[in-house]
Amino acid sequence: MAWLSNGNKPAPHRLGPMQTLPQPMRTYPDSEAVDYCVVGVGSAGGVLLQRLARAGFRVVGLEAGPFWDTERDWVSDEKGSHELYWTDLRITGGTHPLALGANNSGKGVGGGSVHWAAFAPRFHPSDFRVYSEDGMGADWPISYWDLKPYYELLEKEIPVAGPAWFPWGDPHGHPYGPHPLGGVGDVLVRGCSRLGIRTVAGGPVAILSASHGDRPHCIYRGFCLQGCKVGAKASTLITHVPDAIDHGAEIRAHSMAARVSVNKDGRADGVLYYDREGKECFQRARAVIVSGYAIETPRLLLNSACPGHPHGLANSSGTLGKYLMAQAGNIIAGRFSELIRMYKAPPAHALTEEFYETDPRHDFARGFAIQTVGPLPIAFAKQMIAAAGAWGWGLRRVMMDYNHWAALGVLGEILPWEDNRVELAEERDQYGLRVAKVTFNLHDNDLKLIEFAKNKVMDVMWAAGAEDVVQESRFAHLVGAARMGSDPAASVVDKFGRTHDISNLFICDGSTLPTQGSANPGLTIQALAARTADYLIRQGDAIFSSSRRDESEPAIRYDLSPPYTQFKGNPRIA
Ligand SMILES: Cc1cc2nc3c(=O)[nH]c(=O)nc-3n(C[C@H](O)[C@H](O)[C@H](O)COP(=O)(O)OP(=O)(O)OC[C@H]3O[C@@H](n4cnc5c(N)ncnc54)[C@H](O)[C@@H]3O)c2cc1C
Ligand code: SF4
């Protein structure tokens, strides 16, 4: 523990009411070449750093945002949590421009896992074979069965609460028991049941239904998207980063990576970044991993163009930035005569995946899920402005009625299209770096799928007994833009996240997903990160010195999980 100059002990860095950070954190000078420099300490970056540190590698995580002290920095207040998001300038366009900025991706240690709703379903086996099965989209270079052991492991690590029997995809149970049903979940289950649609309730969600190590259980106060000051909702800030630090990782907050550097031998040798004072710094590294999210990862690599890589790093295929995906996230809100009280539960707690797979009776491929969402008043007001044109006195009346409304969400699969992409805009940010320009267009299959899904959720809402139903079109969960694949001419990274072009440069985050299914992507992103870590650990020093690619599957390092992984929830489902 480092002491203050006045002799006092510094206040501990708190991550919830009971959890504190291991201190002091190990630090590395810029001039020392660490083994791995990881850009971005979010959903994927946090898991990756934790495992690499436990395996004994010298690792530094550069994070553009702050290192949250949850007791000091977070408030259980909707407006007060605005700073959790990446609100730096981004340019958006296309036939269906994506809303970027607030409520899109995270900035700060934990990244998007800080403000996610924590819905944690797995992808289905069919998601990995979309092209083979439907003649559209893409196949993954791995199968569901390659990832299944990592799903099972991450479900214990974060951990996931949910039903004893999840009947879709590869049916499975969950390590922690389900949560009680809130008002919106009750609407979803009631409406679906009346239409003969199967549902599950109480999860799967990475929120504690029983205490776990030094984290308390959920107290159902509904501020999950505001970070969860209670510490019941999983984020890598509290699940993986403390263990990474405990094992020698340095997390360098307020450090904005500007460029990945490549030496004359064509190997990545470090990252140029701006520190909290805006000073230009250079962290030397024997290998670099970019984990910056589906927009900032391609942006960084495009901004890293240099002689030998004139169109950006890892872009010899020309696919970097392309095949960006978002899921259709239409919100359907219904008014009920009885009280619903949307805020009194985690937004994520009931769903159906009955429409997930391609149905030959439909005129579109792939499908969608229906999930609970429980917007707090500001988000709800915005939805009612967009969905019902509510304004002035009308908006005030709707808001006075807030406790009578329930909101359900479509989560629909939009296929990967080449023209949906991230490029560099001419505009620059506060560091003088060109910002991302995001183009998004819906295609025929997407439009038909969204129309069907939207109407189905409205049917559910009416069936549940709603007196009034409105809907807002929106999108959720950006992934893709640096897709993995076996063919270096058509993809950016291989099945372990290693770029085809530079053997010691990796990408590990949601940008590597070739397709996205209609499951929320966070669990899959973290499972892939654990798998990439196992690969790197098995390769050992070969990553730093050799260009040879070993494609064999690594052994799963169960011994590298964070503490408490084997703890059992109460009630526990085997
Ligand atoms: C409101 C909301 C609710 C969501 N709910 C769910 C849900 O219920 N379930 C689910 O599965 N998913 C959910 N998501 C999506 C989920 O949060 C993301 O898919 C996931 O966090 C992406 O992980 P990632 O590792 O790709 O990126 P992130 O977790 O966003 O991490 C990227 C990190 O890199 C940092 N970074 C970026 N560029 C740089 C740079 N140049 N230098 C330094 N640092 C940099 C960022 O600050 C960030 O911390 C939700 C998203 C939103 C917006
Ligand atoms: S509802 Fe539960 S998970 Fe969400 S903020 Fe409250 S305590 Fe945290």
Side-chain angles (χ1 to χ4, degrees):
M1 169 81 63
W3 293 76
L4 300 175
S5 54
N6 61 8
N8 290 339
K9 220 169 142 181
H13 187 124
R14 291 151 304 177
L15 298 176
M18 300 196 288
Q19 200 181 356
T20 53
L21 260 192
Q23 289 185 357
M25 177 164 59
R26 181 168 178 182
T27 54
Y28 297 89
D30 274 352
S31 54
E32 181 181 336
V34 293
D35 294 325
Y36 287 99
C37 178
V38 178
V39 177
V41 187
S43 291
V47 172
L48 196 56
L49 281 157
Q50 182 268 336
R51 281 171 158 71
L52 293 175
R54 266 206 177 229
F57 289 103
R58 292 167 308 137
V59 289
V60 167
L62 299 178
E63 169 52 51
F67 201 145
W68 307 111
D69 176 323
T70 63
E71 294 292 289
R72 182 195 62 203
D73 301 332
W74 290 1
V75 285
S76 296
D77 173 75
E78 208 182 348
K79 185 163 187 301
S81 62
H82 188 71
E83 285 175 12
L84 301 181
Y85 300 111
W86 187 292
T87 49
D88 295 9
L89 181 67
R90 287 165 172 165
I91 308 297
T92 187
T95 58
H96 293 77
L98 299 173
L100 301 173
N103 208 20
N104 182 252
S105 63
K107 187 173 187 180
V109 176
S113 71
V114 162
H115 61 64
W116 71 333
F119 254 129
R122 300 180 189 177
F123 281 14
H124 288 199
S126 65
D127 289 324
F128 298 75
R129 297 174 36 79
V130 172
Y131 187 76
S132 296
E133 295 194 5
D134 293 290
M136 295 175 145
D139 284 349
W140 292 46
I142 59 172
S143 75
Y144 169 84
W145 311 107
D146 293 317
L147 209 52
K148 177 174 175 166
Y150 290 99
Y151 278 134
E152 291 172 337
L153 188 57
L154 263 297
E155 282 167 356
K156 288 186 184 151
E157 289 186 10
I158 54 182
V160 179
W165 181 247
F166 188 85
W168 301 285
D170 173 27
H172 59 278
H174 294 95
Y176 272 59
H179 291 272
L181 207 56
V184 182
D186 189 49
V187 165
L188 186 144
V189 171
R190 191 168 68 230
C192 285
S193 301
R194 286 179 182 160
L195 297 177
I197 301 167
R198 286 183 300 176
T199 56
V200 296
V205 64
I207 292 177
L208 296 176
S209 54
S211 59
H212 175 85
D214 50 8
R215 291 172 52 203
H217 61 78
C218 177
I219 55 170
Y220 307 109
R221 59 211 283 273
F223 288 103
C224 313
L225 270 61
Q226 285 65 42
C228 182
K229 200 164 173 153
V230 172
K233 189 191 74 169
S235 69
T236 55
L237 173 70
I238 63 172
T239 57
H240 287 80
V241 166
D243 194 52
I245 293 174
D246 223 4
H247 289 85
E250 179 186 350
I251 308 295
R252 215 172 283 162
H254 295 291
S255 299
M256 173 70 185
R259 189 163 61 80
V260 177
S261 158
V262 174
N263 65 18
K264 60 178 173 22
D265 300 326
R267 296 179 64 78
D269 63 358
V271 179
L272 187 135
Y273 69 98
Y274 293 99
D275 72 6
R276 101 175 34 228
E277 273 82 43
K279 186 161 70 79
E280 192 175 292
C281 308
F282 185 73
Q283 176 62 56
R284 295 178 58 218
R286 301 168 81 196
V288 173
I289 307 174
V290 184
S291 300
Y293 187 69
I295 298 180
E296 295 305 316
T297 286
R299 176 193 175 202
L300 175 64
L301 295 175
L302 291 168
N303 266 328
S304 301
C306 60
H309 302 275
H311 305 296
L313 297 187
N315 195 20
S316 63
S317 64
T319 52
L320 178 66
K322 294 180 178 169
Y323 303 104
L324 177 77
M325 289 167 280
Q327 286 167 322
N330 300 55
I331 300 281
I332 286 77
R335 189 195 183 278
F336 292 81
S337 56
E338 72 269 24
L339 285 171
I340 303 292
R341 296 195 199 280
M342 275 199 279
Y343 63 92
K344 280 189 80 69
H349 72 282
L351 60 81
T352 175
E353 291 189 355
E354 202 71 359
F355 306 98
Y356 194 108
E357 304 284 347
T358 297
D359 184 335
R361 291 169 300 179
H362 296 159
D363 59 353
F364 56 86
R366 305 304 295 160
F368 61 94
I370 306 174
Q371 300 186 336
T372 49
V373 283
L376 292 180
I378 297 176
F380 180 66
K382 287 181 183 163
Q383 279 156 12
M384 294 312 282
I385 293 169
W391 196 250
W393 176 240
L395 179 61
R396 194 164 164 210
R397 273 186 44 195
V398 168
M399 293 312 295
M400 284 158 65
D401 224 18
Y402 169 78
N403 280 334
H404 286 270
W405 285 83
L408 301 178
V410 167
L411 204 62
E413 176 165 356
I414 292 176
L415 292 168
W417 305 106
E418 190 174 2
D419 58 349
N420 289 339
R421 61 197 185 275
V422 177
E423 302 163 289
L424 293 179
E426 291 308 318
E427 290 85 347
R428 292 177 184 265
D429 68 5
Q430 62 271 39
Y431 304 100
L433 302 169
R434 288 175 70 184
V435 303
K437 176 179 157 199
V438 178
T439 305
F440 199 72
N441 308 306
L442 288 180
H443 292 246
D444 191 43
N445 194 78
D446 314 323
L447 290 163
K448 287 178 176 158
L449 183 151
I450 292 170
E451 189 59 22
F452 183 91
K454 184 179 79 182
N455 289 330
K456 183 60 73 180
V457 184
M458 292 176 101
D459 291 346
V460 169
M461 199 58 104
W462 289 121
E467 300 167 335
D468 190 10
V469 178
V470 297
Q471 88 87 31
E472 180 205 4
S473 300
R474 56 186 284 283
F475 301 98
H477 307 151
L478 274 60
V479 295
R483 56 160 42 168
M484 68 165 88
S486 313
D487 180 2
S491 57
V492 179
V493 298
D494 70 13
K495 63 181 179 177
F496 296 112
R498 191 177 204 164
T499 60
H500 292 301
D501 296 354
I502 300 173
S503 63
N504 67 339
L505 174 64
F506 287 72
I507 300 174
C508 180
D509 59 17
S511 63
T512 67
L513 272 51
T515 60
Q516 59 179 347
S518 36
N520 320 57
L523 182 70
T524 300
I525 291 170
Q526 295 193 16
L528 284 169
R531 181 171 173 274
T532 292
D534 278 351
Y535 176 75
L536 297 174
I537 293 162
R538 214 269 310 278
Q539 296 298 312
D541 282 359
I543 296 288
F544 310 131
S545 51
S546 165
S547 301
R548 200 179 70 81
R549 283 167 194 263
D550 175 1
E551 298 280 291
S552 56
E553 284 293 318
I556 301 175
R557 294 292 302 270
Y558 294 102
D559 57 315
L560 297 179
S561 288
Y564 314 123
T565 293
Q566 299 309 329
F567 275 35
K568 295 173 171 55
N570 181 23
R572 178 175 187 274
I573 309 300

